[in-house]
Amino acid sequence: MLHVITGENRHLYTQRLKEMFRLRYRIFVEEQKWSLPCTYPYEMDQFDTEDAVYFIYIDESDEIQGSMRLLPTAKPHLMTDVFPELCSGTPPSGDDIYESSRGSVRSEHRQAGRIWSTIVAGSYEFCLISGINQMSFVVDMKLFSAWLAKGADINPLGPPCEINGSVCVAALREVSTEALALKRRDAQISGPALTYIRDLERAA
Amino acid sequence: MQFDLEIVQAFVEVSKRATALDEINAAFMGVAGRFGYGHVATTRLRDYSQGPRSVDAVVTYPEVWKGRYSEMKFHEVDPVFASLGRRSTPFFWSGDSEEGTREERSFFDESRSAGVKRGLSLAMLISKSETAAVTWAGNFGEESDGLKHMFHLIATYYYQRLRLIQAGTFDTSRKEVTLTARESEVLQWYAVGKSAWEIGVILGVSESTVRFHLSSVRRKFDVSSTVHATALAVAREYIQI
């Protein structure tokens, strides 16, 4: 199940968030060797606040298999504070634009891509019901190229630059019902991906 | 020159609307020309020892030079060609320098007289076994970091759109084809030159079963020859050879 965690239901997910920060440490610090401002065993930064929106995928074994984070661009976020060199002009900002970051799934799921597609589909669903029309992100050029190969409608925001040992680019994409339909197809689901729990009885 | 996002975005917009090869190629050559590069070259490389594959290539070099290149097996000498396998970001190259082996210098002497003196190239991994190379070349091309970054984005958008167009994605008359796992498997073996009998032995089925699958494939693509169906299946990337 794919859960969305916002400032509103965050109190129901205290343990899950810790588990997610631990998984992020494993993936981004230990495995990808990113240099991040965090301390073992949790990978957390200055943007992991009540404003952040998280998507976490929990499987039948009750373990988090992957996650992703959305930050409001109306407030400081990665493109404004960490990677300003990636944007040629002012990074896109506004109430209807969120920036996605720290998206990943456990290595054993990367080849298949189904769980990652489910997470992305769920994030689109959240955007569509929250009036978020665009998503900005920083991505490795090789992955960016692979998305273009599948016909993704994405626009670059600045020059490719080297970050944590790989050449990355900042980009922006429209969130649309068509984009959601394509992601659901990749995720092999026909209906909503998202589970939004607000009351305690139904919490994970 | 500095990185100019507007130039990149202008190309991105054209590339997103392009549904025909002529459109995307004209836009790509147009932007190359703007920076002093009179030629573009786009090839897929599978096996480096074989040299560039000409099947889906878009190469505007003079015919005489293209002929010389393949006739002399210049890919064995061309240092740019050798670099493509090792680099995943764009790089400038030039035949001006006095460095390099005697063969390399004489290669560049010829290349210069053909109007291919310097250039900017990007290699992109497009599948496990295939790399695509995109190049701007000419005698007066600009060289700067800003241009290198612009080229990285423009060449990536160009090549991926080119592939989508070549695969028939925007061909409205095209019928959507879904091959079964067995049909792709049979066609895959056919594409590498196996006979129906041989495919039967490989897959442990009878020759007539193989023929039956191949006839289903022809029917699905609405063509009368298996060779034609194979060409379509490769172009649309249902199978890889």
Side-chain angles (χ1 to χ4, degrees):
Chain A
M1 271 215 295
L2 181 70
H3 294 256
V4 58
I5 306 171
T6 66
E8 214 175 294
N9 64 352
R10 197 184 163 101
H11 61 283
L12 303 175
Y13 287 94
T14 316
Q15 278 311 311
R16 287 298 189 189
L17 285 174
K18 271 192 173 175
E19 191 184 332
M20 178 193 73
F21 291 133
R22 265 203 306 271
L23 180 61
R24 271 172 37 178
Y25 192 93
R26 225 166 71 206
I27 292 174
F28 296 111
V29 180
E30 294 181 346
E31 188 188 310
Q32 309 283 333
K33 312 268 186 245
W34 288 7
S35 97
L36 294 168
C38 61
T39 38
Y40 178 83
Y42 304 114
E43 188 277 295
M44 286 174 77
D45 65 12
Q46 67 268 43
F47 306 111
D48 287 305
T49 67
E50 297 261 310
D51 291 324
V53 178
Y54 300 99
F55 300 87
I56 58 170
Y57 188 97
I58 300 170
D59 71 353
E60 303 78 41
S61 70
D62 203 37
E63 269 188 19
I64 299 182
Q65 300 301 320
S67 69
M68 186 238 250
R69 173 177 79 175
L70 285 184
L71 300 173
T73 58
K75 299 199 174 177
H77 53 285
L78 290 167
M79 277 183 210
T80 54
D81 286 31
V82 184
F83 307 123
E85 72 275 18
L86 283 177
C87 290
S88 281
T90 318
S93 71
D95 291 335
D96 65 337
I97 308 174
Y98 270 56
E99 180 193 64
S100 88
S101 56
R102 298 293 194 274
S104 193
V105 294
R106 286 180 193 267
S107 53
E108 61 265 36
H109 302 306
R110 274 175 220 155
Q111 195 68 31
R114 198 185 57 77
I115 292 181
W116 176 245
S117 296
T118 308
I119 294 173
V120 176
S123 72
Y124 289 177
E125 289 167 8
F126 176 82
C127 289
L128 290 169
I129 55 176
S130 314
I132 298 163
N133 299 315
Q134 290 177 308
M135 213 187 259
S136 56
F137 53 90
V138 174
V139 66
D140 180 281
M141 270 304 284
K142 287 181 196 130
L143 206 51
F144 185 81
S145 185
W147 291 348
L148 287 178
K150 292 168 103 188
D153 185 3
I154 40 185
N155 288 294
L157 296 169
C161 297
E162 192 173 323
I163 293 172
N164 287 313
S166 67
V167 176
C168 296
V169 65
L172 187 67
R173 72 163 311 143
E174 302 282 327
V175 179
S176 62
T177 47
E178 292 80 23
L180 172 60
L182 285 175
K183 274 297 151 197
R184 281 186 180 160
R185 203 189 59 188
D186 289 346
Q188 298 161 28
I189 50 175
S190 49
L194 214 55
T195 305
Y196 193 3
I197 295 170
R198 286 159 134 158
D199 58 82
L200 201 52
E201 283 86 70
R202 297 175 57 208
Chain B
M1 116 155 255
Q2 297 280 309
F3 178 86
D4 186 337
L5 185 61
E6 278 180 31
I7 294 175
V8 176
Q9 276 170 339
F11 182 81
V12 167
E13 284 314 311
V14 174
S15 80
K16 282 184 185 173
R17 282 196 305 270
T19 54
L21 292 176
D22 288 351
E23 279 176 79
I24 191 84
N25 286 331
F28 191 60
M29 285 177 219
V31 63
R34 198 169 158 171
F35 295 104
Y37 294 99
H39 294 294
V40 306
T42 303
T43 49
R44 275 205 210 186
L45 318 166
R46 178 168 295 112
D47 176 353
Y48 275 85
S49 63
Q50 298 298 309
R53 217 160 54 113
S54 58
V55 188
D56 57 0
V58 178
V59 181
T60 68
Y61 296 160
E63 288 302 324
V64 180
W65 174 237
K66 283 198 269 186
R68 280 291 286 168
Y69 197 102
S70 71
E71 176 198 336
M72 298 299 290
K73 294 196 166 47
F74 272 151
H75 63 271
E76 291 171 4
V77 185
D78 184 354
V80 179
F81 188 71
S83 299
L84 287 168
R86 298 193 301 267
R87 309 178 70 151
S88 60
T89 54
F91 60 96
F92 287 101
W93 48 267
S94 157
D96 286 338
S97 84
E98 293 301 307
E99 290 162 31
T101 62
R102 201 161 54 84
E103 284 82 10
E104 282 173 13
R105 285 203 306 278
S106 94
F107 161 76
F108 273 123
D109 282 342
E110 267 201 61
S111 129
R112 250 199 314 278
S113 54
V116 186
K117 184 173 164 187
R118 54 203 292 173
L120 176 53
S121 295
L122 172 68
M124 273 178 273
L125 197 65
I126 54 172
S127 73
K128 262 182 239 150
S129 57
E130 275 187 302
T131 302
V134 180
T135 293
W136 285 352
N139 281 349
F140 309 103
E142 182 185 314
E143 192 174 326
S144 65
D145 273 351
L147 181 62
K148 187 165 81 175
H149 296 321
M150 284 191 262
F151 178 75
H152 199 172
L153 289 167
I154 289 172
T156 304
Y157 272 92
Y158 163 71
Y159 192 73
Q160 298 300 12
R161 189 68 179 189
L162 182 80
R163 273 177 86 194
L164 286 171
I165 295 170
Q166 283 175 335
T169 314
F170 312 106
D171 182 354
T172 46
S173 63
R174 187 184 85 164
K175 245 176 63 186
E176 214 37 67
V177 170
T178 316
L179 299 181
T180 65
R182 201 57 155 181
E183 284 162 358
S184 331
E185 204 172 7
V186 167
L187 201 60
Q188 187 79 55
W189 285 113
Y190 185 85
V192 295
K194 300 289 178 212
S195 70
W197 180 81
E198 287 169 319
I199 299 171
V201 173
I202 293 165
L203 299 179
V205 297
S206 73
E207 184 180 344
S208 65
T209 304
V210 173
R211 290 192 187 284
F212 169 77
H213 287 308
L214 289 174
S215 79
S216 307
V217 171
R218 288 196 298 272
R219 183 173 41 75
K220 285 183 176 179
F221 280 109
D222 197 19
V223 296
S224 54
S225 95
T226 310
V227 173
H228 190 180
T230 310
L232 292 173
V234 172
R236 297 180 193 174
E237 302 184 355
Y238 291 120
I239 59 170
Q240 291 192 340
I241 50 169

